[in-house]
Amino acid sequence: MVSVSLSTSKPTTARADALILGIRSDDDRDVFAPSLEAVGFTGEKGQVVTFPGGDLARARVVVAVAMPSEPTAEELRRAAGEGVRAALKASATTVAVALHPAGVHEVGAIAEGVELGAYKYDVYKSSNRSSGRGKGKAKAKKDVTLISAVVLSPFARQSTATRAVDRAATVAGAVNAARNWTNTPPGDLRPPAFADAITDYAGDKVKVTVWDEKRMAKENCGGILGVGAGSDAPPRLVCLTYDPPGANGHLALVGKGITFDSGGLSIKPGASMQTMKLDMAGAAAVVAATVAIAELELPVKITAFACIAENMPSGTATRPGDVLKMRSGATVEVLNTDAEGRLVLGDGLALAVEAKPDHIVDVATLTGACVVALGDRTAGILGNDDDFRDVVFAASKTSGEAMWPLPIVEEMKEKVNSSNVADLRQHNPKPAGGTLFAAAFLREFVGDIPWAHLDIAGPSFNDDSARGYTPKGGTGVGVRTLVQIATELAETR
Ligand code: BES
Ligand code: ZN
Ligand code: ZN
């Protein structure tokens, strides 16, 4: 974890390996103008250049980042992340960040960008082994880790700025935990191992209950059991509760935790399976957010369910045509075992309803169709209540996570209810509106409780190169919006 502090120092005198300097206009170039010109800095959006600090700054290296004249919180987060990644490439382990925050909230955004941008997943890199006798000829390039950052700001001495930096550390720590779980190879994070990892992570403020497959059978969780039936690693349901004294309202969270999605008997083609360790990112987000909300001591009750199974083909796997009896009592005709997320979530949502919350949010890497609709950086928001959907949409904007509302068009209701043999049909034979059909299916399990569904199939995993504060691989998307929703519910009641 990076330690982030605050200082009112001037950029030129700040003590650090690298100085990350936001350049908004020609005026900002100041003593650095000649160096910036020498390295071809034009100030064009997104530009990042690196040059030696020399006599100009105490820092060994200067990383200049082009900034708009009045950067938003999200622009500051991205610039901080971009700056940190460039500083790490220049082997800096300490940075001073001078990005002109307009207020205390922006100081928090910069701290978040630093901690998110510094993330690396190198657990399985041989170069990471301290005592490894390298087999390869060439010594692997030494990867540096960011140790500390000082954010330079005129507000540095205000206690609200310190609080914003503390909050950023908690939230970014949670996002990075979700990223770690998402990046873990799926053979090393099968359902029992994931449930154990969650239990270890939860801390003292959150109560954890784990249901194994026997308990789930007694509790009629036919959806989760049906999806997990093909795997020799049995499914798990993990329930987290945070119930602070004097809580304002109760939010239930449900996460899709498919530790690997092969598609089951409706098996995926090889190429589509390559990244399917990501399919537990919703559960990771829900768990990490719950722990962050508890660490921040937000006055909101949280009940969270991680619905964990491995979707595998085998002689014991659920078949297309099978009927599952869900926790809610509804029967479901399974027609495509690759549409497994809605089956585990159906049970999780039913359990959430039983906890009688005021609101429910589920987070799931649910449909490829959502990636087609919104691209791979934006999550879909669907639900049964326009007002609550607007709360979630607004929270996503504040947190800087790209999301966009999609409707559950009316014809999906009858399609979900069109099974010949069971109460509900799991899969629409037509691909048209796949994200909307999936949400209409989930809606069958939430009753009248205001509910929002976040389809994070696109933004949960970055298979492009790193950008801003977003690394390659697991992104931890959802955590920041969930913490923001809880923050707003705590304030508005
Ligand atoms: N886990 C996938 C969805 C997914 C696709 C996540 C791409 C991330 C990237 C989900 O379980 C799935 O396979 N959905 C099917 C549904 C279809 C069979 C109705 C899909 O999207 O093709
Ligand atoms: Zn699937
Ligand atoms: Zn899936």
Side-chain angles (χ1 to χ4, degrees):
M1 248 240 290
V2 191
S3 123
V4 179
S5 59
L6 283 159
S7 163
T8 52
S9 302
K10 283 204 302 241
T12 46
T13 57
R15 207 185 281 275
D17 292 345
L19 168 66
I20 298 170
L21 197 61
I23 311 284
R24 294 169 300 184
S25 63
D26 287 351
D27 309 346
D28 268 355
R29 299 190 180 196
D30 200 25
V31 296
F32 299 106
S35 307
L36 285 166
E37 198 172 333
V39 293
F41 184 83
T42 57
E44 172 202 345
K45 193 169 187 260
Q47 197 183 13
V48 181
V49 296
T50 306
F51 56 87
D55 298 334
L56 300 172
R58 186 176 254 174
R60 173 170 62 75
V61 55
V62 178
V63 176
V65 185
M67 303 282 299
S69 56
E70 287 178 28
T72 62
E74 177 62 6
E75 283 165 337
L76 288 165
R77 244 178 237 114
R78 291 182 189 186
E82 202 75 56
V84 162
R85 290 192 299 101
L88 286 169
K89 273 198 198 108
S91 297
T93 60
T94 60
V95 296
V97 189
L99 289 179
H100 318 289
V104 165
H105 174 67
E106 285 73 15
V107 170
I110 292 171
E112 235 172 58
V114 166
E115 290 165 88
L116 295 173
Y119 175 84
K120 284 212 172 98
Y121 187 73
D122 53 12
V123 179
Y124 291 81
K125 294 272 191 197
S126 307
S127 55
N128 182 45
R129 264 185 254 140
S130 43
S131 63
R133 272 178 293 136
K135 273 185 262 155
K137 292 155 260 161
K139 215 177 155 197
K141 189 175 156 265
K142 196 167 179 289
D143 257 344
V144 297
T145 309
L146 190 66
I147 298 167
S148 68
V150 53
V151 176
L152 308 182
S153 155
F155 316 109
R157 295 214 175 86
Q158 293 180 18
S159 61
T160 46
T162 313
R163 277 208 294 281
V165 169
D166 289 348
R167 182 187 198 275
T170 302
V171 173
V175 173
N176 288 339
R179 290 172 171 179
N180 280 339
W181 281 326
T182 308
N183 287 329
T184 303
D188 287 349
L189 197 78
R190 300 183 84 197
F194 190 23
D196 288 347
I198 293 170
T199 307
D200 289 345
Y201 181 75
D204 317 330
K205 291 180 178 133
V206 174
K207 189 175 139 242
V208 186
T209 330
V210 180
W211 284 0
D212 64 9
E213 68 280 17
K214 292 190 198 91
R215 180 70 191 265
M216 277 193 278
K218 280 196 195 112
E219 302 282 355
N220 305 313
C221 294
I224 301 175
L225 288 168
V227 172
S231 171
D232 57 4
R236 293 288 182 265
L237 177 95
V238 182
C239 175
L240 307 179
T241 44
Y242 163 62
D243 193 0
N248 292 325
H250 179 188
L251 172 65
L253 304 175
V254 180
K256 171 177 175 182
I258 303 300
T259 60
F260 184 68
D261 183 10
S262 70
L265 290 173
S266 315
I267 198 160
K268 286 182 183 292
S272 320
M273 225 189 273
Q274 283 172 15
T275 55
M276 280 303 134
K277 66 174 182 179
L278 65 72
D279 217 19
M280 34 56 67
V286 154
V287 169
T290 302
V291 174
I293 290 163
E295 279 175 7
L296 294 169
E297 300 187 341
L298 298 180
V300 192
K301 177 173 177 182
I302 307 285
T303 307
F305 298 92
C307 308
I308 305 175
E310 187 179 42
N311 189 22
M312 295 292 256
S314 78
T316 58
T318 297
R319 292 152 282 259
D322 278 346
V323 172
L324 301 176
K325 179 117 190 244
M326 306 286 284
R327 170 76 183 185
S328 69
T331 55
V332 174
E333 183 185 12
V334 176
L335 291 162
N336 184 319
T337 62
D338 195 14
E340 81 297 339
R342 61 199 72 176
L343 298 172
V344 301
L345 290 169
D347 281 347
L349 290 168
L351 288 162
V353 168
E354 292 170 36
K356 298 190 167 48
D358 303 311
H359 303 277
I360 303 176
V361 181
D362 79 74
V363 187
T365 48
L366 206 62
T367 63
C370 198
V371 190
V372 175
L374 296 175
D376 60 7
R377 299 184 185 186
T378 301
I381 312 176
L382 301 97
N384 62 352
D385 182 292
D386 289 355
D387 291 339
F388 186 52
R389 191 208 43 217
D390 289 346
V391 168
V392 173
F393 189 28
S396 74
K397 287 180 185 160
T398 308
S399 71
E401 293 185 320
M403 301 192 181
W404 206 261
L406 292 173
I408 306 181
V409 294
E410 69 171 321
E411 67 269 25
M412 294 301 166
K413 172 89 191 158
E414 59 180 285
K415 291 183 193 290
V416 164
N417 286 293
S418 69
S419 168
N420 284 334
V421 295
D423 301 334
L424 300 173
R425 165 178 199 118
Q426 170 237 17
H427 174 64
N428 186 9
K430 271 199 202 168
T435 306
L436 323 183
F437 177 91
F441 181 89
L442 297 180
R443 186 176 57 189
E444 295 291 325
F445 298 89
V446 297
D448 299 332
I449 301 177
W451 152 77
H453 158 60
L454 303 182
D455 192 330
I456 58 164
S460 63
F461 201 87
N462 175 25
D463 48 20
D464 299 328
S465 41
R467 69 189 122 83
Y469 55 78
T470 306
K472 271 184 94 73
T475 62
V477 71
V479 173
R480 291 188 285 142
T481 298
L482 293 176
V483 174
Q484 187 59 34
I485 294 167
T487 305
E488 283 168 25
L489 293 177
E491 280 165 4
T492 53
R493 283 173 52 109

